[in-house]
Each structure stands twice: as C-alpha cells, then as structure tokens.
Amino acid sequence: MLTQQIAVLGRPVRRNMITVRIEPENRELTLDRAATVTQLLHKLDRKPGRALVIRDGGLLTPDLNLKDGDHIIVRDVGSKG
Amino acid sequence: MKCKRCQVPAVVALPSHHTAFCRDCFLVFARRLVERAIKEHSMFTFDDRILVAISGGKDSMALSWQLKELGYTIEGLHIDLGIPESSPIARSYTERFCAANSIPLHVIETASLGLAMCDVKRRVKRPICSVCGQTKRYLFNRFAMDNGFTVLATGHNLDDETSRLFANVMRWDVEYLSDQGPVMPAEKGFAKKVKPLYRLTEFETANLCFLAGIDYGYAPCPYSSKASFPIYKKLLSELEDIQPGRKIRFYDGFLKDGRQGFAPRGETSVDIQPCTTCGYPTSAGECGFCRLKAMMNDEG
C-alpha cells in the first residue's frame, strides 16, 4: 500500500507519509501522514501551544490538514537554559 | 481558522486568549501586550537609555526587536559565558541580530575575568546555574550603572515569571515573594530592572520571532538539565492546557492581590552595604562575584 515513491524537494517520500524535522535537536522522522496538525502533534506527544509547526516557510494552525509528502518542521519553544 | 481581527486565514492560534491571528494582526497583538506592560508598570519612557540583556535566545531577541520597533533608545549587552558547547553559537546569533537591526552591542567575556563557566563549574560546589545567574546579574547591573543606562531590560516571559512564582510559593519564600514582579526600582547601587515581555508566553515570543524574521539560537546550555524551573514550567503548561488563561491570571492576581501580603513588616534583616572590594551592593562584606573571582584567580 505504501510502496510508490515520489520525490519531494529532491528526497523520496512514500505515499501517505510525511517527513518531520524536530527542532532544536534536528531529528528527522518519516511518519504515516496525520490528517491534521493537531493529530501530528498528538503523535509526537506535543501540545499545540508548545511548538511551532512550519510548512513551506509558513506557520500552520492546529486545525489545518496535512498532505502526502509534506515536509514539516516541529519547533519546540520551551527554553532549556 | 480565521484571524479574529481581519478574517483572513490565521497563522497563530492562541487558546489562552480564545483567539487566532494572521501575521500582521499577531504582530499588533504582541506589540500591544508589550506596550501595556510598559505603561501599566511605568517601566520607562522614550527619554530613558535602555540596556537590553541579549542572550541570543528568542526572548531577548524578541524584546530587543520590539523595543526598537517602538522607537525606544536601546543598546544590547551580551555576556559570553565561556561554555564551549553553547557560548560561541549564542554570541554569533546575537552579533548577527544586532548588526542587522542597528542595535549597538557590548560584549563581556567572563573568561577575560577568569570566570569561564566551564572552569567555574569544575571548581565550585554550588549548583552552576546559581553561580552563573549571580555572575550575569552582577555584570548586567554593573555595566548599566557604570555606563549611565537608566533601565536594564530582560526578556523574561510569562512562563519564566509564573514558574518562578510557583517555585517561590512552593517554598513559601517570603523574601522573594515580596519583591517578585515586572519592575525592580533603582536603589542603592542597583539599576532599575524591567521585564516588558511578562505578558507574553514563550509560545508567543517564538511566534513573534518567526513572524518578524528573527533568527534566534537554539543551542541550550549543556548545564541547564539540573535547573528546577523547567519542572514548574511543565506543570504550569499542563494546567494551562486544561484551563487556558490560567498562567496570566495567576501572575496578574499575584501582582494585584498577593504580593502585598508578603511585603516586609518593619525593618528587614538584610542590610545592604557596598562590597569591600568592588563597591557594588551586597548583603555580605565582600560580594559573591568578588569572592568567586578571587577564588578562581587564586586557584587558577
């Protein structure tokens, strides 16, 4: 089911998958696509008011839908010293 | 989700305020929170010379940017703490930001005083966060006083302030509770200190940086895992998830009704005198900074 490869920004991403970079640790994950930003944050054990969610250089609100092949940045905002 | 003010698609949702904003309206919202803090607490005027403590993180950058946008006269002071894993990164972000925004920047290197924090950490028995905080407070205050600044501004946000308040309450630390607030008046060798971001959460300052195009540093201090405030921040954030708006009501309520209950009655036991070495105020004969410096340089 998740076999077809498509190229997004030069990197192959399987259908129904998204790529997520967690900042500030710069960890990159490939996940089954969550339907919305809220669901993505839930998968990552984060709450909407504690991380910026960024796609194509713009901020996403929790209600927005995600698309196959999205490259998302989740930037934690809590200062650690 | 639509912007509450202009009905175009929103980019920031703020459950605590039951609202959402587009870019431009969020910047107006943030600016008004800062203006409100400055006005309500008479923090400073356009005649003041304001020294902003700039660490290279999002809060001090957001504060500097906002005060500059509002037309205040500001200069930055960055303290290079001499921590190999994080200090060079923090300093480079600060220097780039100040150059890009035409903010005069001063830098103090603690290593030049024999106080590189990586060395201090090896030698002192106290928690390093306590020693580092004391050193920064001393250097910020002294620089402000020595150079004629009328106000010292720091980027403490609502999460910083509520977690500190929570910690002070949990210890029933009456002395700290009596003077916690967004303004510390100038007195006896201490510069006036203000926290104009105290009404903004760290989520809001992060959004402000993103939407204003401020590139801030992420490199956390490698020693901060031992700090206790993040525990209180996390607990309060979990409460905020259940009860949006709880943090600002906790803090506003303390300032309005709580703090006065901790005001000193009669004479306080703390006698502030000039340090016998540097002349800056201390409750001991020689201040903690001078004692640390002497210890480090003697054993160096």
Side-chain angles (χ1 to χ4, degrees):
Chain A
M1 182 174 168
L2 304 176
T3 53
Q4 188 173 351
Q5 301 283 310
I6 55 174
V8 178
L9 297 176
R11 282 177 284 178
V13 177
R14 284 181 294 172
R15 272 204 194 284
N16 298 332
M17 304 292 274
I18 58 173
T19 305
V20 181
R21 190 165 85 234
I22 311 284
E23 292 183 351
E25 60 257 51
N26 281 327
R27 191 159 48 94
E28 196 153 297
L29 310 166
T30 303
L31 303 171
D32 287 337
R33 178 177 62 79
T36 65
V37 171
T38 299
Q39 289 180 17
L40 171 64
L41 289 172
H42 183 70
K43 274 189 176 187
L44 298 171
D45 197 22
R46 282 163 172 79
K47 295 287 171 61
R50 294 185 227 166
L52 305 188
V53 181
I54 303 160
R55 179 175 63 195
D56 299 331
L59 293 173
L60 302 181
T61 50
D63 59 312
L64 290 180
N65 293 326
L66 300 177
K67 303 189 297 282
D68 289 349
D70 269 347
H71 284 253
I72 304 291
I73 296 170
V74 174
R75 182 176 297 167
D76 290 324
V77 302
S79 54
K80 295 183 175 68
Chain B
M1 197 173 281
K2 302 277 192 196
C3 173
K4 187 180 180 183
R5 292 178 78 235
C6 68
Q7 301 303 309
V8 304
V11 297
V12 184
L14 300 173
S16 302
H17 299 273
H18 307 289
T19 196
F21 292 119
C22 68
R23 176 190 181 275
D24 290 350
C25 293
F26 177 81
L27 293 177
V28 171
F29 163 82
R31 186 186 74 213
R32 287 180 179 167
L33 288 182
V34 174
E35 288 178 315
R36 178 177 169 185
I38 294 167
K39 187 178 174 192
E40 279 189 358
H41 295 277
S42 303
M43 290 183 175
F44 43 74
T45 71
F46 289 99
D47 295 327
D48 278 301
R49 278 188 75 214
I50 303 164
L51 181 67
V52 183
I54 307 180
S55 67
K58 66 183 185 309
D59 302 309
S60 56
M61 300 274 213
L63 173 63
S64 305
W65 180 86
Q66 189 64 80
L67 295 184
K68 179 87 177 171
E69 281 287 303
L70 288 168
Y72 289 101
T73 305
I74 66 166
E75 294 183 30
L77 175 59
H78 176 78
I79 297 181
D80 184 327
L81 295 163
I83 302 170
E85 298 91 334
S86 59
S87 296
I89 298 170
R91 182 170 174 169
S92 68
Y93 273 101
T94 304
E95 289 174 339
R96 279 199 303 276
F97 167 80
C98 288
N101 289 278
S102 303
I103 297 170
L105 176 67
H106 310 273
V107 177
I108 296 174
E109 296 174 351
T110 60
S112 70
L113 305 167
L115 298 175
M117 283 302 142
C118 57
D119 297 332
V120 174
K121 185 174 186 292
R122 281 196 287 270
R123 297 206 190 154
V124 295
K125 294 194 173 93
R126 289 164 55 201
I128 187 63
C129 292
S130 164
V131 180
C132 183
Q134 180 188 52
T135 302
K136 287 190 287 188
R137 284 191 298 275
Y138 176 90
L139 292 172
F140 282 130
N141 184 65
R142 180 160 185 172
F143 189 89
M145 296 296 288
D146 286 351
N147 292 280
F149 290 94
T150 48
V151 180
L152 171 59
T154 57
H156 291 91
N157 59 43
L158 182 63
D159 293 85
D160 298 325
E161 287 301 282
T162 50
S163 58
R164 183 172 169 224
L165 175 59
F166 190 12
N168 289 339
V169 167
M170 292 306 287
R171 292 196 310 272
W172 291 117
D173 194 321
V174 174
E175 192 180 325
Y176 282 175
L177 285 165
S178 69
D179 67 5
Q180 182 174 351
V183 175
M184 291 280 284
E187 60 175 352
K188 291 185 182 171
F190 289 111
K192 181 177 184 179
K193 297 180 186 68
V194 299
K195 301 169 184 173
L197 294 187
Y198 87 89
R199 302 197 71 84
L200 279 77
T201 64
E202 56 189 0
F203 180 66
E204 289 159 358
T205 61
N207 277 287
L208 176 56
C209 286
F210 185 90
L211 295 172
I214 299 166
D215 189 19
Y216 60 89
Y218 303 120
C221 173
Y223 311 146
S224 67
S225 60
K226 297 274 196 315
S228 59
F229 281 167
I231 298 166
Y232 292 102
K233 268 190 189 177
K234 184 167 180 287
L235 289 169
L236 285 168
S237 292
E238 286 168 4
L239 183 61
E240 182 81 13
D241 291 335
I242 303 164
Q243 299 179 317
R246 175 56 55 190
K247 279 189 277 197
I248 189 64
R249 286 198 292 276
F250 177 47
Y251 196 66
D252 271 346
F254 167 72
L255 294 179
K256 183 170 176 283
D257 299 317
R259 185 169 57 175
Q260 62 203 12
F262 300 99
R265 297 181 179 88
E267 287 196 13
T268 60
S269 57
V270 181
D271 185 23
I272 301 294
Q273 297 288 337
C275 167
T276 52
T277 302
C278 69
Y280 274 86
T282 178
S283 55
E286 186 179 44
C287 73
F289 178 84
C290 289
R291 277 182 279 133
L292 176 69
K293 199 171 153 190
M295 186 269 284
M296 290 298 294
N297 287 302
D298 282 352
E299 293 180 13

